[in-house]
Amino acid sequence: MDWNYDMDSCPLDTKVFLLSASDNLLLPQREFVGTLTCKGHSVRRGKCFSGCPEYFYRSKIVAWKKYNVEREE
């Protein structure tokens, strides 16, 4: 499945693959398994299940795709 760059359509409180980017061009895009959650009216990063939590929480999430177990193994 290809990356979906429409972040408004990313399911909330659901484990998904997330693609992060940094404003620093020297740092590559990174892939994570995590969740987005809704706190009141703002959507925030939830839990980072796989990947570097520090980078996950400070980088910009630009795309998502459905999580499937086979891909992670």
Side-chain angles (χ1 to χ4, degrees), residues 5-39:
Y5 287 86
D6 177 9
M7 291 308 299
D8 291 334
S9 66
C10 182
L12 300 178
D13 301 313
T14 303
K15 191 186 235 187
V16 292
F17 289 107
L18 295 164
L19 183 66
S20 280
S22 176
D23 291 338
N24 184 337
L25 298 176
L26 298 176
L27 294 174
Q29 291 185 333
R30 294 195 195 173
E31 190 175 317
F32 300 91
V33 176
T35 61
L36 299 181
T37 61
C38 185
K39 302 285 186 190

Side-chain angles (χ1 to χ4, degrees), residues 47-73:
K47 185 172 181 181
C48 178
F49 294 98
S50 176
C52 172
E54 181 182 332
Y55 189 85
F56 175 76
Y57 286 109
R58 69 180 167 82
S59 63
K60 181 179 179 185
I61 295 175
V62 296
W64 69 277
K65 58 183 161 184
K66 287 185 180 177
Y67 175 80
N68 68 37
V69 177
E70 296 97 40
R71 187 160 186 272
E72 177 129 69
E73 293 174 351

